Amino acid sequence: MSTLTIALEKVDFLPPTRVTDDTSVLTLKNLVFEPLLKWNDGQVQPALFSHWTHSPDGREWRFVIRKGAVFHDGKPCVASDIIDFIDGILEAVDTFGMKWSYARYLADAEIMTEGDGAIVVRNPHPIADILDIFSEFYICRFAPDGTPVLGTGPFRVLNFESKVRAELERVSVSTEPKRIIALCEPSADERYALLKSGAVDAALNLERVEGKLEFDDAFQWGRAVNTLSVMYYLNCSEGIFRSPQARLAANHAVDTAAICHEIFGDLAVPSSSIVSPFHLGMKTAGLSPIAYDPDRARALLAEVDGDRRIKLRTPTFMPERAPEISRFVAEALEAVGFEVEIEIETDRPEYARQIGRKEMKDLAIFDSSPHSTYRILNDKISSVARAVWWQGYEDPEAERLIAAANAAVEPDARERAYAACLTYLNANPPWLYLVHPVDVFAARNDIAGLSIDHKGTLTIA
């Protein structure tokens, strides 16, 4: 096939300083740009950095740029390009106007060039988690017309109209497809209709159709559990969820398998900890979801003093189906002895800012998207970091385990140390764990080499 046409929920190339977990945007990024390192189910692999070394204590890291790395306008990719990109990320803010956490992670680090072909990171304490951080940095430059479309990836951008259409051309002309046309269609039902009509060859994020998705045998289907966690923050600073028993009771009270079946149409799987089954540490941890056990929930709640009247907050979207999930969870919590009032926030960016300001009431639905176990622990769990998404969880043993994981350097040691953190947080939950959605794409049956990874990114062989 010379040209592959795909339908995406969004078609956009964001500014270099904007990091995103949107699956449509990530699909385009992975075609046009290269990450410094490639994330693969908790581990990292070479990408724009071909290889790296570190000091025995993990305080100094040296990363070598892939030989022959060239931007699509012919400019060689050199170390100063990467330093400039990192500097921009460290000064940037996210979609909600809140500063990225990367500046905090690297606050004490010295990052410098070593000639044109390598960069060196020096830090006063071990920083093996630089691998996770660099896997989220996709190097790009602005084209003469001001669009951020110049990368070193397998496809170059020929034409691009934001929120409408992008046309890409493969750099290596000997490989097919030679061109990709990405069409923007916000509606999942309309994306599916475009596929059925023959207007496109593949359509992404069909799990978002209205009603139950019908898997038509006329097409090939790809599914992958996403690393994103749909969860509720529990207010560990004030109210009844300061109690570990109350937090565990909430988790026993909710039938997450029923949420997967009834609300997600079986296109989700229950969560067992703060991260997905594909994060660093989860393979070794081998965890099961907290059991649905209303009787156990009632018994735990009986041990807790405090007001059973709680406020549950929800936006109208992000995560998908948030109001339906919140109604389900409210009924489940009331069945074991809570009295729940649902409060809806229609301004989604303001909702995120409120959570960041710790204005969450008793529990608030959210989605946790980083594919880095380190990032989630640092941003959301650690009482030492007390970062923007931390909601008051304080547990000395959890903190000891986090510190040990942060100090681990070799891959096997990191896996074991993070597994210990995740196992502890399964038994002592800071959140109400819910589900990980399943991403779905469909394509014509005669097209080979298409798949999606656990970040929902379409891969073209």
Side-chain angles (χ1 to χ4, degrees), residues 171-184:
V171 174
S172 173
V173 296
S174 62
T175 308
E176 291 193 343
K178 293 182 172 59
R179 292 198 179 192
I180 295 175
I181 296 174
L183 303 179
C184 181

Side-chain angles (χ1 to χ4, degrees), residues 256-287:
T256 55
I259 291 177
C260 295
H261 177 65
E262 296 175 18
I263 297 179
F264 285 87
D266 296 317
L267 293 176
V269 299
S271 303
S272 61
S273 192
I274 61 168
V275 298
S276 78
F278 314 102
H279 278 71
L280 182 66
M282 283 295 276
K283 182 177 180 180
T284 296
L287 301 174

Side-chain angles (χ1 to χ4, degrees), residues 37 44 52-63 86 90 101-111 119-135 137 280 372 374-375 378 402-411 414 418:
L37 296 170
V44 293
W52 57 94
T53 57
H54 62 79
S55 61
D57 61 6
R59 290 178 168 87
E60 180 170 310
W61 294 73
R62 179 176 182 270
F63 297 91
I86 293 172
L90 299 185
S101 300
Y102 303 111
R104 189 179 74 255
Y105 307 151
L106 301 174
D108 300 321
E110 182 183 10
I111 306 176
I119 73 164
V120 175
V121 179
R122 294 194 181 109
N123 207 54
H125 50 80
I127 190 169
D129 300 300
I130 192 68
L131 302 174
D132 291 12
I133 295 167
F134 278 174
S135 73
F137 291 1
L280 182 66
S372 163
Y374 164 77
R375 284 197 59 198
N378 190 288
I402 292 170
N406 291 347
V409 177
E410 297 300 333
R414 293 181 73 218
Y418 281 112

Side-chain angles (χ1 to χ4, degrees), residues 3 14 17 44 51 77 84 187 199 233 245 285 329 337 351 361 437 460:
T3 300
L14 301 178
T17 55
V44 293
H51 59 282
C77 179
D84 290 345
S187 164
Y233 281 121
Q245 292 97 325
V329 168
Y351 180 78
K361 302 297 172 63
I460 300 170

Side-chain angles (χ1 to χ4, degrees), residues 275-403:
V275 298
S276 78
F278 314 102
H279 278 71
L280 182 66
M282 283 295 276
K283 182 177 180 180
T284 296
L287 301 174
S288 297
I290 297 173
Y292 171 54
D293 189 341
D295 291 336
R296 176 66 175 147
R298 293 185 193 97
L300 285 165
L301 196 56
E303 300 174 11
V304 181
D305 294 328
D307 195 343
R308 270 48 172 175
R309 292 175 297 178
I310 58 175
K311 284 193 176 181
L312 180 156
R313 303 201 64 228
T314 181
T316 55
F317 67 98
M318 284 182 68
E320 299 291 326
R321 303 174 174 87
E324 298 97 314
I325 297 168
S326 291
R327 287 191 293 270
F328 184 103
V329 168
E331 291 179 6
L333 294 176
E334 287 185 330
V336 300
F338 291 98
E339 298 177 34
V340 185
E341 176 186 347
I342 296 178
E343 185 178 288
I344 298 174
E345 173 59 68
T346 57
D347 185 335
R348 182 57 176 81
E350 176 57 21
Y351 180 78
R353 289 188 286 267
Q354 290 165 357
I355 302 302
R357 296 193 300 262
K358 323 303 180 196
E359 298 169 4
M360 61 166 292
K361 302 297 172 63
D362 295 292
L363 68 165
I365 193 170
F366 218 68
D367 48 23
S368 179
S369 59
H371 58 253
S372 163
T373 304
Y374 164 77
R375 284 197 59 198
I376 295 174
L377 287 166
N378 190 288
D379 286 3
K380 305 177 183 188
I381 306 299
S382 173
S383 59
V384 171
R386 294 181 178 238
V388 63
W389 304 119
W390 176 72
Q391 300 297 332
Y393 181 75
E394 297 193 62
D395 186 303
E397 178 60 11
E399 212 60 52
R400 184 190 70 79
L401 293 168
I402 292 170

